[in-house]
Amino acid sequence: MKTLLVVDAANVVGSVPDGWWRDRRGAAERLRDRLVPYADSGVPGHPGPLEVVLVVEGAARSVVSVPGVRTVAAEGSGDDRIVELVAEEGRDRTCLVVTADRALRDRVRSLGAEVAGPRTVRPRP
């Protein structure tokens, strides 16, 4: 079974001050598109193929899935939706959550997920 890679879109997009706040939806779409290669190639410590899920919220909620990256819109808190996904879909397989949010990292670790920082999928320029 493929490793589940869950990406906290708001946290990863916000990790680089590149003007993302002017177009949150566009920033999330650019992140989504940059994630596509990871579905096949994997990330450090987790060779591909991976099931890549991008959790979006707020103004980015309308970002749609593309081949290789499934987008999940959080109706409320993105963090809560990530925890739900880990509990629902990461139970019987390796699950890696990409976020720098300390509270979220603790919550998903308690469910058995591994965590990694934004640089895993978004190297700094």
Side-chain angles (χ1 to χ4, degrees):
M1 186 174 284
K2 293 180 183 177
T3 293
L4 178 64
L5 175 67
V6 180
V7 179
D8 180 351
N11 189 269
V12 173
V13 164
S15 69
V16 177
D18 61 2
W20 59 265
W21 51 90
R22 290 188 292 268
D23 180 11
R24 293 169 193 260
R25 180 174 184 242
E29 288 173 336
R30 288 187 296 279
L31 173 60
R32 176 205 58 202
D33 295 345
R34 280 195 307 272
L35 293 173
V36 170
Y38 294 116
D40 290 326
S41 67
V43 295
H46 298 276
L50 306 175
E51 180 180 349
V52 181
V53 178
L54 179 66
V55 177
V56 294
E57 60 186 296
R61 198 175 285 134
S62 62
V63 173
V64 299
S65 299
V66 296
V69 180
R70 176 170 50 116
T71 304
V72 173
E75 292 304 317
S77 161
D79 290 2
D80 290 346
R81 187 64 184 112
I82 290 168
V83 171
E84 290 171 4
L85 278 169
V86 170
E88 294 165 4
E89 299 184 27
R91 194 175 307 196
D92 297 323
R93 61 176 160 166
T94 301
C95 181
L96 175 65
V97 176
V98 176
T99 186
D101 182 307
R102 287 183 186 157
L104 177 57
R105 290 169 84 108
D106 290 343
R107 291 173 69 191
V108 297
R109 275 189 184 123
S110 73
L111 296 171
E114 298 175 38
V115 296
R119 290 184 188 184
T120 303
V121 296
R122 185 171 185 171
R124 291 198 180 263

